[in-house]
């Protein structure tokens, strides 16, 4: 879909937040309408834009184009955020109808693969997709059947020309059509129909399969129907992009500036220019190095935007990746446990097994706060989420709305101190921390475990590609 650069835009509400939560009561005020050039008939059509948030994901731009002259239509979805630092690979094991109904967002850089079929649909870099797994299978089947129809027309044409040649050989002496290609087209048709049969079997759940969405830009996601709880049938991996993938995204590694090497003292506060993560306006970020008692050195960064009022803070380790992973397990027995300091790094996994809750801190970034502060932050983020893709009768106990209410009620009980749970903080990089209130003595409620990382965890941290031994000798040779 291409829009006329001279198109006039009519905004419904200028004072409204750009990416407001989707609401059925105020849907008309959230739409923007733009006159756009139809690339099919070159008449003026209409594009409708909707800027909204997708629950448990990020802000997106939905667009829908319609031409009243030739009736051409086109829908598109684009992430409103910049490229993520890492690429993402999401694999879902499709076993039932609920898995087929999972919605997914695929950016223009995302590719889809089904391992059981040896099938892969590469990225197109032009438009994104918002659909379900079942809807994707339907679209693939429709496209293949169109190809089959074209093959059948080609075969019929070859057979017709061959028959005409037999009846009037003199008139077709110079015919350039190769009739020997007909068996090859028949074979191609047979293979396509067999492939469609496999896809149909998967769609009808006669065959289970793995649905993989891979996006080097990190701007794709697949719905978790169990949210806010963990999805055991989904595997999410983040990876460091290759030079080829950076080139695909238009990222020139040679232009990436390396920071100047300088020693930063604990008393020094650095100020540097950046962009607001909410509105992308220029703003300032303050950075300070500090030491956490009985732990290690960390870097605290705070950003404040004067344009939209957005405030954010993040904590990163100042000592790199530890030799082993670290896992804390805190058994709460008193309300005072909520006042313990906690450092949740950007590579840590925060979980509360008692309520089957698990959170990757990549969703919230690094945080240094108290246990009460961190859980309150989780509640605030979930409370502000409106689920535009779920609905139904609120009296249904299995509905998303009631599952969220029950979960938030459990969170409220933990914050108020009426419910004591076990908190697990696991970080393969070894940069998380839970305060030991008995330090330097042993804390009877806190268990600390150091463990060897798995190959997958080393891959996530980018350690498998790092050579730490004899690298100087190889470089010299």
């Amino acid at each position: 879909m291409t829009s006329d650069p001279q198109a006039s835009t009519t905004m419904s509400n200028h004072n409204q937040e750009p990416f407001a939560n989707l609401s059925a009561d105020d849907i008309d005020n959230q739409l923007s309408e733009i006159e756009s050039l139809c690339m099919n008939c070159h008449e003026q059509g209409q594009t409708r834009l909707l800027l909204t948030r997708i629950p448990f994901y990020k802000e997106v731009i939905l667009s829908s184009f319609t031409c009243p002259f030739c009736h051409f239509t086109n829908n598109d979805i684009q992430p409103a955020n910049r490229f993520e630092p890492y690429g993402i690979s999401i694999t879902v094991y499709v076993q039932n109808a609920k898995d087929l109904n999972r919605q997914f967002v695929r950016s223009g850089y995302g590719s889809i693969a089904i391992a059981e079929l040896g099938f892969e649909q590469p990225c197109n870099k032009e438009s994104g997709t918002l659909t379900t797994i079942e809807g994707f299978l339907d679209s693939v089947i429709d496209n293949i059947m169109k190809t089959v129809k074209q093959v059948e027309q080609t075969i019929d044409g070859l057979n017709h020309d061959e028959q005409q040649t037999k009846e009037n050989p003199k008139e077709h002496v110079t015919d350039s059509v190769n009739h020997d290609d007909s068996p090859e087209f028949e074979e191609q048709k047979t293979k396509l129909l067999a492939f469609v049969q496999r896809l149909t079997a998967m769609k009808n759940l006669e065959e289970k399969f793995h649905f993989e969405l891979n996006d080097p830009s990190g701007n794709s996601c697949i719905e978790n129907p169990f949210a806010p709880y963990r999805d055991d049938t989904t595997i999410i991996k983040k990876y460091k992009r290759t030079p080829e993938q950076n080139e695909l995204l238009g990222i020139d590694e040679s232009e990436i500036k390396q920071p100047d090497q300088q020693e930063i003292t604990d008393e020094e506060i650095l100020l540097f220019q950046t962009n607001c993560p909410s509105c992308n306006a220029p703003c300032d970020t303050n950075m300070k190095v500090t030491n956490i008692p009985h732990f290690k050195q960390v870097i605290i960064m705070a950003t404040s935007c004067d344009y939209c009022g957005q405030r954010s803070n993040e904590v990163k380790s100042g000592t790199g990746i530890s030799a082993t992973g670290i896992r804390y397990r805190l058994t709460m027995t008193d309300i005072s446990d909520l006042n313990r300091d906690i450092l949740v790094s950007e590579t840590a996994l925060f979980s509360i097994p008692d309520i089957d809750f698990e959170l990757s801190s990549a969703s919230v970034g690094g945080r240094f706060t108290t246990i009460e502060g961190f859980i309150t932050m989780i509640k605030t983020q979930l409370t502000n989420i409106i689920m535009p893709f779920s609905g139904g009768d609120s009296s249904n106990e299995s509905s998303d709305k009631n599952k969220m209410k029950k979960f938030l009620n459990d969170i409220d009980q933990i914050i108020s101190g009426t419910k004591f749970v076990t908190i697990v903080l696991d970080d393969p990089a070894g940069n998380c921390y839970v305060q030991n209130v008995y330090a330097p003595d042993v804390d009877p409620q806190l268990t600390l475990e150091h463990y060897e990382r798995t190959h997958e965890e080393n891959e996530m941290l980018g350690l498998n590609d790092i050579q730490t031994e004899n690298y100087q000798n190889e470089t010299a040779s």
Side-chain angles (χ1 to χ4, degrees):
M1 179 178 62
T2 304
S3 300
D4 185 355
Q6 301 298 329
S8 59
T9 306
T10 304
M11 297 298 293
S12 302
N13 191 341
H14 293 281
N15 297 324
Q16 181 175 294
E17 184 183 356
F19 292 91
N21 291 325
L22 192 62
S23 173
D25 299 330
D26 196 32
I27 187 67
D28 291 334
N29 289 333
Q30 300 183 45
L31 287 173
S32 302
E33 296 182 355
I34 307 173
E35 286 188 0
S36 307
L37 179 67
C38 176
M39 301 308 296
N40 189 43
C41 68
H42 301 289
E43 296 288 345
Q44 285 297 322
Q46 186 181 69
T47 297
R48 307 182 77 187
L49 296 176
L50 177 63
L51 283 65
T52 186
R53 295 187 181 97
I54 292 182
F56 310 106
Y57 182 48
K58 58 180 67 175
E59 293 87 0
V60 295
I61 302 175
L62 301 174
S63 62
S64 175
F65 175 80
T66 304
C67 178
F69 297 95
C70 66
H71 305 290
F72 174 74
T73 61
N74 187 22
N75 299 318
D76 186 20
I77 179 172
Q78 294 290 345
N81 301 69
R82 294 169 292 181
F83 295 144
E84 295 293 325
Y86 298 96
I88 189 169
S89 173
I90 310 173
T91 304
V92 175
Y93 186 41
V94 180
Q95 308 176 69
N96 50 48
K98 195 168 186 177
D99 292 329
L100 283 176
N101 289 330
R102 290 174 186 252
Q103 298 184 86
F104 68 88
V105 176
R106 172 193 181 189
S107 78
Y109 299 97
S111 62
I112 295 177
I114 300 177
E116 288 77 1
L117 287 174
F119 167 79
E120 181 176 357
Q121 187 180 81
C123 66
N124 56 23
K125 296 197 298 184
E126 294 180 358
S127 61
T129 305
L130 171 60
T131 182
T132 62
I133 295 179
E134 183 178 10
F136 173 78
L137 295 180
D138 283 333
S139 66
V140 173
I141 291 173
D142 290 342
N143 289 333
I144 294 178
M145 291 309 298
K146 289 178 182 178
T147 304
V148 170
K149 188 175 180 180
Q150 293 175 354
V151 172
E152 290 176 342
Q153 291 174 350
T154 302
I155 293 173
D156 292 341
L158 290 174
N159 292 337
H160 176 73
D161 290 343
E162 185 178 4
Q163 184 64 29
Q164 290 290 101
T165 303
K166 291 180 180 179
E167 295 177 358
N168 302 295
K170 294 183 179 180
E171 297 181 4
H172 295 81
V173 173
T174 60
D175 192 355
S176 60
V177 177
N178 187 0
H179 302 293
D180 295 336
D181 291 340
S182 183
E184 295 182 6
F185 284 112
E186 289 285 356
E187 182 181 0
Q188 183 181 10
K189 174 185 173 182
T190 302
K191 290 181 179 179
L192 289 174
L193 291 176
F195 189 80
V196 169
Q197 188 176 5
R198 287 283 307 277
L199 279 175
T200 304
M202 291 178 175
K203 176 188 169 185
N204 296 331
L205 298 174
E206 298 172 6
E207 183 178 348
K208 299 177 182 178
F209 63 97
H210 291 83
F211 183 87
E212 180 181 356
L213 177 58
N214 187 3
D215 185 358
S217 73
N219 286 326
S220 296
C221 77
I222 299 180
E223 177 191 6
N224 174 11
F226 309 99
Y229 303 105
R230 183 175 57 186
D231 183 1
D232 293 328
T233 61
T234 300
I235 299 175
I236 301 177
K237 295 181 179 178
K238 294 190 176 183
Y239 58 87
K240 185 179 180 181
R241 286 188 288 265
T242 63
E244 292 76 15
Q245 290 171 330
N246 279 328
E247 183 179 355
L248 174 69
L249 300 177
I251 300 175
D252 189 354
E253 293 182 324
S254 63
E255 295 182 356
I256 299 177
K257 296 181 179 180
Q258 298 296 331
D260 297 333
Q261 299 294 328
Q262 58 179 340
E263 186 176 351
I264 305 174
T265 63
D266 292 351
E267 295 78 16
E268 186 178 4
I269 298 179
L270 297 182
L271 176 68
F272 57 91
Q273 299 292 323
T274 183
N275 292 89
C276 175
S278 179
C279 67
N280 206 35
C283 60
D284 295 332
T285 294
N286 293 314
M287 183 178 75
K288 187 179 188 303
V289 177
T290 186
N291 286 287
I292 298 178
H294 309 287
F295 184 51
K296 59 175 67 174
Q297 191 180 69
V298 297
I299 301 173
I300 301 177
M301 295 185 292
T303 303
S304 178
C305 178
D306 296 332
Y307 185 80
C308 68
Q310 171 74 14
R311 294 175 179 269
S312 64
N313 61 80
E314 190 172 358
V315 178
K316 294 181 179 292
S317 171
T319 57
I321 299 174
S322 301
T324 58
I326 192 171
R327 183 181 297 113
Y328 287 92
R329 182 181 294 270
L330 173 66
T331 303
M332 295 178 57
T333 58
D334 188 82
I335 192 174
S336 61
D337 290 326
L338 293 171
N339 296 325
R340 291 175 183 251
D341 291 333
I342 182 174
L343 170 62
V344 184
S345 73
E346 57 185 3
T347 56
L349 190 69
F350 179 89
S351 62
I352 305 177
D354 303 73
I355 58 176
D356 195 24
F357 174 73
E358 186 176 285
L359 174 70
S360 170
S361 64
S363 306
V364 295
R367 290 288 187 272
F368 181 48
T369 179
T370 63
I371 292 178
E372 180 182 7
F374 190 77
I375 296 178
T376 302
M377 180 204 65
I378 295 173
K379 177 193 171 184
T380 301
Q381 290 197 353
L382 294 179
T383 302
N384 292 334
I385 290 176
I386 298 177
M387 294 184 152
F389 305 117
S390 63
D393 189 356
S394 61
S395 63
N396 183 1
E397 293 183 358
S398 61
S399 67
D400 294 331
K401 185 176 181 180
N402 280 320
K403 285 194 295 185
M404 182 65 73
K405 283 184 177 180
K406 182 181 181 301
F407 175 79
L408 292 177
N409 182 57
D410 290 335
I411 292 292
D412 285 334
Q413 292 181 28
I414 296 173
I415 295 174
S416 63
T418 58
K419 183 171 185 175
F420 299 133
V421 295
T422 298
I423 293 175
V424 179
L425 189 59
D426 189 345
D427 185 5
N431 291 324
C432 66
Y433 166 76
V434 177
Q435 182 184 12
N436 176 2
V437 294
Y438 296 91
D441 298 330
V442 177
D443 190 334
Q445 300 170 230
L446 186 64
T447 302
L448 174 60
E449 175 188 356
H450 293 272
Y451 62 89
E452 295 293 329
R453 285 184 290 265
T454 64
H455 178 81
E456 290 75 15
E457 289 171 335
N458 282 327
E459 183 70 23
M460 180 190 71
L461 298 174
L463 298 178
N464 292 334
D465 300 327
I466 297 178
Q467 182 179 356
T468 58
E469 297 179 357
N470 300 324
Y471 61 91
Q472 292 179 333
N473 295 336
E474 289 193 8
T475 303
S477 62

